[in-house]
Amino acid sequence: MEQLEKIQSYLGKELGEMNDIITSTLRTPNDLMNRIVTSYLEKKGKQIRPVMVILSAKLFGEVNDDVLHAGAALEMLHNASLIHDDIVDETSLRRGVPTINATWGNHIAVLVGDYFVSNALAAGIKTGHISIISALSALGKELSLGEIDQICNVRDHHFDEQSYFMMIRKKTASLFMNCVKMGAEAAGATADEYSPMVQYAELLGLCFQIKDDVFDYFPNPQIGKPTGNDLREGKVTLPLLYALNNGPQDEAEKMKAMIVNGQLETENINTLIEFAKENGGIDYAFDVMRSMQKEADAIIDRYPDSDAKKCFREIFEFIISRDK
């Protein structure tokens, strides 16, 4: 966590100004909405995405009001997706505190999520960049389609890596890619200048989701979800996918049958987790992440040395090595 905390400290002024924009944008005459929003914003999380918006601007130019509004827009859109995800997944805790749906019910939680989306677009409009507004609109579609793809993968029992990577690209990596794109555009960079960094952000976003999925194979109360939570919902992620496709065939078929038949009680989930571990699934996931990191290093090497470049490298390492 120390790596990210140093970066947050380095960007303290900019992040503070961006969070002020979020607070003022979400302020409303409605007392109930204000209470819910204020409570929600008290736990800000890591704010990796707006950090990337600001770092991208620094890599290509200077941080201005447009950059800060772009970061605010992306952070509000991201939070909207989390609020809606919590409803779909019936999540009761996020960042160690009760979710909006757990406290206020699904009806209000849906409306709060929609309120965040609308204000994300309002912040995007204040940048005056039609490309940023367009990116926000396209991103909303990508995030929704990523979630639908995940539901389809569960229902249709896709056990191939291609389907998994297509899904996490939409569900997670698309947001990281737009962080870099919007930060660079708000700072005045051209597509030719920032396109390689969008590829960098895609690799970083993919790693973020892979590492998030790895957590599901280990008990860790810090992250607020129990071991095997994804598997309980029928979500087969990279470690188990690898084991199913590369482990002993007879055993793999038995594991697949458990998943297809919905036999996902605790004993069978533990069996699936151990099968993934014993057949190299966790090691494979880390190998994939390190390979992506190496590919990303080659991309960012094209840019002149700077504090922003150093921070991008540190974020990548943080994402792979984080423990929550």
Side-chain angles (χ1 to χ4, degrees):
M1 195 67 176
E2 186 180 348
Q3 292 163 307
L4 185 60
E5 287 173 350
K6 286 181 179 178
I7 295 170
Q8 290 169 334
S9 177
Y10 165 60
L11 301 177
K13 177 178 178 293
E14 292 90 346
L15 285 172
E17 291 173 349
M18 185 212 69
N19 282 316
D20 287 343
I21 290 171
I22 292 174
T23 300
S24 62
T25 302
L26 291 171
R27 191 173 293 121
T28 168
N30 185 282
D31 289 339
L32 177 58
M33 183 66 82
N34 276 339
R35 283 171 59 196
I36 296 170
V37 169
T38 299
S39 176
Y40 183 83
L41 293 180
E42 284 176 357
K43 285 281 187 178
K44 291 185 172 61
K46 305 178 189 72
Q47 293 201 318
I48 291 176
R49 294 152 191 87
V51 161
M52 289 184 62
V53 174
I54 295 168
L55 286 178
S56 181
K58 282 180 173 287
L59 189 68
F60 293 103
E62 296 182 354
V63 177
N64 53 39
D65 284 345
D66 292 347
V67 172
L68 297 176
H69 277 90
L74 277 166
E75 183 69 353
M76 285 188 281
L77 186 60
H78 170 57
N79 279 285
S81 72
L82 296 182
I83 293 167
H84 287 153
D85 285 352
D86 288 342
I87 298 166
V88 173
D89 296 337
E90 299 179 349
T91 305
S92 58
L93 285 176
R94 180 174 290 279
R95 299 167 185 162
V97 299
T99 56
I100 295 174
N101 53 292
T103 304
W104 297 97
N106 289 345
H107 188 176
I108 286 179
V110 168
L111 296 174
V112 174
D114 291 347
Y115 183 69
F116 270 73
V117 171
S118 298
N119 282 287
L121 293 172
I125 288 169
K126 287 187 176 180
T127 68
H129 292 260
I130 191 66
S131 59
I132 288 177
I133 300 165
S134 177
L136 285 168
S137 174
L139 179 56
K141 291 192 290 185
E142 283 283 278
L143 294 174
S144 298
L145 288 172
E147 290 295 333
I148 292 291
D149 282 351
Q150 185 169 64
I151 291 169
C152 291
N153 287 350
V154 170
R155 289 182 176 178
D156 300 336
H157 305 296
H158 290 159
F159 297 121
D160 61 288
E161 286 189 23
Q162 183 179 4
S163 296
Y164 170 79
F165 279 109
M166 285 176 62
M167 179 269 294
I168 67 170
R169 184 189 184 279
K170 293 177 184 174
K171 175 186 171 183
T172 304
S174 61
L175 190 50
F176 286 84
M177 293 161 71
N178 276 281
C179 288
V180 164
K181 181 176 185 289
M182 289 168 62
E185 287 187 343
T190 66
D192 285 343
E193 289 172 324
Y194 67 70
S195 288
M197 281 304 295
V198 173
Q199 293 177 312
Y200 182 97
E202 179 181 9
L203 293 165
L204 189 148
L206 293 173
C207 283
F208 186 94
Q209 188 59 56
I210 293 169
K211 185 59 186 284
D212 218 39
D213 292 340
V214 167
F215 285 135
D216 200 50
Y217 294 80
F218 299 93
N220 192 337
Q222 285 183 306
I223 60 173
K225 67 177 184 178
T227 299
N229 191 58
D230 288 339
L231 283 170
R232 283 184 179 84
E233 298 171 8
K235 300 172 184 175
V236 181
T237 53
L238 190 60
L240 183 55
L241 284 174
Y242 176 82
L244 291 173
N245 291 315
N246 295 276
Q249 188 173 354
D250 289 348
E251 278 189 75
E253 291 304 318
K254 291 178 185 177
M255 301 298 122
K256 289 179 183 178
M258 284 183 196
I259 298 165
V260 171
N261 296 327
Q263 298 170 330
L264 298 174
E265 59 272 14
T266 299
E267 184 179 348
N268 284 345
I269 287 172
N270 290 337
T271 299
L272 289 164
I273 288 172
E274 288 308 310
F275 178 77
K277 290 179 178 178
E278 290 170 3
N279 289 281
I282 304 299
D283 290 339
Y284 175 73
F286 275 95
D287 286 345
V288 169
M289 287 189 284
R290 290 301 181 189
S291 176
M292 287 182 174
Q293 185 182 29
K294 186 176 180 181
E295 185 179 347
D297 281 341
I299 291 171
I300 205 168
D301 274 343
R302 307 175 196 177
Y303 294 93
D305 288 341
S306 66
D307 288 339
K309 176 178 173 178
K310 180 183 176 184
C311 288
F312 269 117
R313 288 190 188 276
E314 289 175 350
I315 287 176
F316 215 122
E317 180 58 33
F318 163 76
I319 281 173
I320 296 175
S321 59
R322 66 195 170 104
D323 58 6
K324 60 180 178 177

PDB file of all heavy atoms in Angstrom, residues 203-214:
ATOM      1  N   LEU A 203      -3.530  -3.056 -20.279  1.00  0.00           N
ATOM      2  CA  LEU A 203      -2.795  -4.126 -19.602  1.00  0.00           C
ATOM      3  C   LEU A 203      -2.900  -3.971 -18.089  1.00  0.00           C
ATOM      4  O   LEU A 203      -3.082  -4.950 -17.356  1.00  0.00           O
ATOM      5  CB  LEU A 203      -1.328  -4.101 -20.036  1.00  0.00           C
ATOM      6  CG  LEU A 203      -1.072  -4.450 -21.510  1.00  0.00           C
ATOM      7  CD1 LEU A 203       0.336  -4.034 -21.920  1.00  0.00           C
ATOM      8  CD2 LEU A 203      -1.272  -5.950 -21.753  1.00  0.00           C
ATOM      9  N   LEU A 204      -2.810  -2.736 -17.615  1.00  0.00           N
ATOM     10  CA  LEU A 204      -2.913  -2.477 -16.190  1.00  0.00           C
ATOM     11  C   LEU A 204      -4.296  -2.852 -15.662  1.00  0.00           C
ATOM     12  O   LEU A 204      -4.441  -3.473 -14.605  1.00  0.00           O
ATOM     13  CB  LEU A 204      -2.611  -0.999 -15.932  1.00  0.00           C
ATOM     14  CG  LEU A 204      -2.451  -0.532 -14.486  1.00  0.00           C
ATOM     15  CD1 LEU A 204      -1.458   0.611 -14.424  1.00  0.00           C
ATOM     16  CD2 LEU A 204      -3.777  -0.099 -13.905  1.00  0.00           C
ATOM     17  N   GLY A 205      -5.338  -2.494 -16.425  1.00  0.00           N
ATOM     18  CA  GLY A 205      -6.702  -2.811 -16.024  1.00  0.00           C
ATOM     19  C   GLY A 205      -6.980  -4.306 -16.011  1.00  0.00           C
ATOM     20  O   GLY A 205      -7.674  -4.818 -15.120  1.00  0.00           O
ATOM     21  N   LEU A 206      -6.438  -5.012 -16.982  1.00  0.00           N
ATOM     22  CA  LEU A 206      -6.588  -6.476 -17.010  1.00  0.00           C
ATOM     23  C   LEU A 206      -5.939  -7.095 -15.781  1.00  0.00           C
ATOM     24  O   LEU A 206      -6.511  -7.989 -15.133  1.00  0.00           O
ATOM     25  CB  LEU A 206      -5.973  -7.053 -18.289  1.00  0.00           C
ATOM     26  CG  LEU A 206      -6.659  -6.696 -19.611  1.00  0.00           C
ATOM     27  CD1 LEU A 206      -5.829  -7.200 -20.789  1.00  0.00           C
ATOM     28  CD2 LEU A 206      -8.071  -7.273 -19.679  1.00  0.00           C
ATOM     29  N   CYS A 207      -4.744  -6.611 -15.446  1.00  0.00           N
ATOM     30  CA  CYS A 207      -4.053  -7.117 -14.252  1.00  0.00           C
ATOM     31  C   CYS A 207      -4.825  -6.808 -12.980  1.00  0.00           C
ATOM     32  O   CYS A 207      -4.872  -7.632 -12.061  1.00  0.00           O
ATOM     33  CB  CYS A 207      -2.642  -6.526 -14.159  1.00  0.00           C
ATOM     34  SG  CYS A 207      -1.454  -7.272 -15.277  1.00  0.00           S
ATOM     35  N   PHE A 208      -5.428  -5.635 -12.930  1.00  0.00           N
ATOM     36  CA  PHE A 208      -6.216  -5.269 -11.758  1.00  0.00           C
ATOM     37  C   PHE A 208      -7.320  -6.299 -11.522  1.00  0.00           C
ATOM     38  O   PHE A 208      -7.530  -6.756 -10.397  1.00  0.00           O
ATOM     39  CB  PHE A 208      -6.822  -3.882 -11.937  1.00  0.00           C
ATOM     40  CG  PHE A 208      -7.538  -3.365 -10.719  1.00  0.00           C
ATOM     41  CD1 PHE A 208      -6.873  -2.569  -9.802  1.00  0.00           C
ATOM     42  CD2 PHE A 208      -8.872  -3.678 -10.488  1.00  0.00           C
ATOM     43  CE1 PHE A 208      -7.522  -2.096  -8.662  1.00  0.00           C
ATOM     44  CE2 PHE A 208      -9.522  -3.218  -9.356  1.00  0.00           C
ATOM     45  CZ  PHE A 208      -8.850  -2.428  -8.441  1.00  0.00           C
ATOM     46  N   GLN A 209      -8.030  -6.685 -12.586  1.00  0.00           N
ATOM     47  CA  GLN A 209      -9.126  -7.636 -12.434  1.00  0.00           C
ATOM     48  C   GLN A 209      -8.623  -9.044 -12.134  1.00  0.00           C
ATOM     49  O   GLN A 209      -9.217  -9.767 -11.332  1.00  0.00           O
ATOM     50  CB  GLN A 209     -10.003  -7.646 -13.683  1.00  0.00           C
ATOM     51  CG  GLN A 209     -11.273  -8.473 -13.523  1.00  0.00           C
ATOM     52  CD  GLN A 209     -12.143  -7.979 -12.388  1.00  0.00           C
ATOM     53  OE1 GLN A 209     -12.525  -6.814 -12.352  1.00  0.00           O
ATOM     54  NE2 GLN A 209     -12.464  -8.862 -11.436  1.00  0.00           N
ATOM     55  N   ILE A 210      -7.522  -9.443 -12.779  1.00  0.00           N
ATOM     56  CA  ILE A 210      -6.957 -10.775 -12.496  1.00  0.00           C
ATOM     57  C   ILE A 210      -6.574 -10.876 -11.025  1.00  0.00           C
ATOM     58  O   ILE A 210      -6.885 -11.870 -10.356  1.00  0.00           O
ATOM     59  CB  ILE A 210      -5.733 -11.052 -13.403  1.00  0.00           C
ATOM     60  CG1 ILE A 210      -6.168 -11.173 -14.868  1.00  0.00           C
ATOM     61  CG2 ILE A 210      -5.022 -12.333 -12.959  1.00  0.00           C
ATOM     62  CD1 ILE A 210      -5.007 -11.187 -15.847  1.00  0.00           C
ATOM     63  N   LYS A 211      -5.906  -9.831 -10.507  1.00  0.00           N
ATOM     64  CA  LYS A 211      -5.503  -9.862  -9.100  1.00  0.00           C
ATOM     65  C   LYS A 211      -6.728  -9.863  -8.191  1.00  0.00           C
ATOM     66  O   LYS A 211      -6.766 -10.575  -7.178  1.00  0.00           O
ATOM     67  CB  LYS A 211      -4.603  -8.674  -8.777  1.00  0.00           C
ATOM     68  CG  LYS A 211      -4.043  -8.692  -7.344  1.00  0.00           C
ATOM     69  CD  LYS A 211      -3.217  -9.964  -7.078  1.00  0.00           C
ATOM     70  CE  LYS A 211      -2.771 -10.060  -5.630  1.00  0.00           C
ATOM     71  NZ  LYS A 211      -1.653  -9.147  -5.310  1.00  0.00           N
ATOM     72  N   ASP A 212      -7.740  -9.098  -8.547  1.00  0.00           N
ATOM     73  CA  ASP A 212      -8.984  -9.088  -7.783  1.00  0.00           C
ATOM     74  C   ASP A 212      -9.596 -10.492  -7.746  1.00  0.00           C
ATOM     75  O   ASP A 212     -10.094 -10.936  -6.712  1.00  0.00           O
ATOM     76  CB  ASP A 212      -9.967  -8.102  -8.417  1.00  0.00           C
ATOM     77  CG  ASP A 212     -10.766  -7.339  -7.384  1.00  0.00           C
ATOM     78  OD1 ASP A 212     -10.192  -6.973  -6.341  1.00  0.00           O
ATOM     79  OD2 ASP A 212     -11.962  -7.110  -7.616  1.00  0.00           O
ATOM     80  N   ASP A 213      -9.523 -11.185  -8.876  1.00  0.00           N
ATOM     81  CA  ASP A 213     -10.070 -12.540  -8.946  1.00  0.00           C
ATOM     82  C   ASP A 213      -9.249 -13.530  -8.122  1.00  0.00           C
ATOM     83  O   ASP A 213      -9.801 -14.461  -7.530  1.00  0.00           O
ATOM     84  CB  ASP A 213     -10.132 -13.007 -10.407  1.00  0.00           C
ATOM     85  CG  ASP A 213     -11.164 -12.234 -11.223  1.00  0.00           C
ATOM     86  OD1 ASP A 213     -12.075 -11.629 -10.613  1.00  0.00           O
ATOM     87  OD2 ASP A 213     -11.059 -12.216 -12.462  1.00  0.00           O
ATOM     88  N   VAL A 214      -7.939 -13.332  -8.073  1.00  0.00           N
ATOM     89  CA  VAL A 214      -7.073 -14.212  -7.289  1.00  0.00           C
ATOM     90  C   VAL A 214      -7.444 -14.162  -5.812  1.00  0.00           C
ATOM     91  O   VAL A 214      -7.376 -15.176  -5.106  1.00  0.00           O
ATOM     92  CB  VAL A 214      -5.578 -13.841  -7.491  1.00  0.00           C
ATOM     93  CG1 VAL A 214      -4.686 -14.523  -6.453  1.00  0.00           C
ATOM     94  CG2 VAL A 214      -5.122 -14.238  -8.898  1.00  0.00           C
TER      95      VAL A 214
END
